Amino acid sequence: MPELHFLDLSYTKIRILPSSLFKLSKLKVLLLRNCICLEKLPPEIGELKKMEVLDLSGTELYDLPADISQPDHMKRMHLSFYGPDDESEYEHLPYQLVSPGFLSEIKGIESLSISVHPEDH
């Protein structure tokens, strides 16, 4: 699917993004809304240089790769950070959810939404 521009995997039970996804050089929109089984966003996400929209709303990711800010054409990004249900699991979470320079590295972003659960640390 070398011409694919829009991919919506929202509400699926996908756990790992396939490596073939990162070969979609013309992909502009990647929707992963409410993919609560998604375990990790791999660093290869930065290989999608044409990506304009990344929607991770409703996912339960705790760690974002530094390369998430690499796509040059990124216009809109929606992120969700929700802590674990069990209070004792907080000690297993990474200290930082995004790299320290994340906001300053995203050039040309027009819309950035970051949702957190109001009761999270």
Side-chain angles (χ1 to χ4, degrees), residues 54-92:
L54 176 61
D55 192 340
L56 299 169
S57 302
T59 62
E60 296 185 7
L61 297 173
Y62 299 128
D63 189 18
L64 295 178
D67 295 340
I68 197 169
S69 60
Q70 294 302 311
D72 299 330
H73 302 283
M74 188 69 74
K75 302 249 185 282
R76 293 187 350 224
M77 188 180 294
H78 303 279
L79 307 173
S80 293
F81 298 112
Y82 289 80
D85 294 330
D86 184 353
E87 192 75 23
S88 67
E89 292 181 30
Y90 274 99
E91 64 188 53
H92 302 292

Side-chain angles (χ1 to χ4, degrees), residues 11-90:
Y11 297 94
T12 62
K13 294 184 180 184
I14 192 164
R15 298 184 72 174
I16 298 171
L17 297 178
S19 59
S20 58
L21 177 91
F22 307 110
K23 293 181 172 78
L24 300 173
S25 61
K26 295 185 180 182
L27 189 67
K28 291 184 177 185
V29 178
L30 178 58
L31 304 179
L32 297 166
R33 289 184 207 126
N34 294 298
C35 290
I36 59 172
C37 296
L38 188 62
E39 297 173 354
K40 182 178 179 184
L41 198 61
E44 291 84 5
I45 195 77
E47 294 175 16
L48 299 172
K49 299 292 184 193
K50 302 272 184 191
M51 190 163 47
E52 295 178 5
V53 177
L54 176 61
D55 192 340
L56 299 169
S57 302
T59 62
E60 296 185 7
L61 297 173
Y62 299 128
D63 189 18
L64 295 178
D67 295 340
I68 197 169
S69 60
Q70 294 302 311
D72 299 330
H73 302 283
M74 188 69 74
K75 302 249 185 282
R76 293 187 350 224
M77 188 180 294
H78 303 279
L79 307 173
S80 293
F81 298 112
Y82 289 80
D85 294 330
D86 184 353
E87 192 75 23
S88 67
E89 292 181 30
Y90 274 99

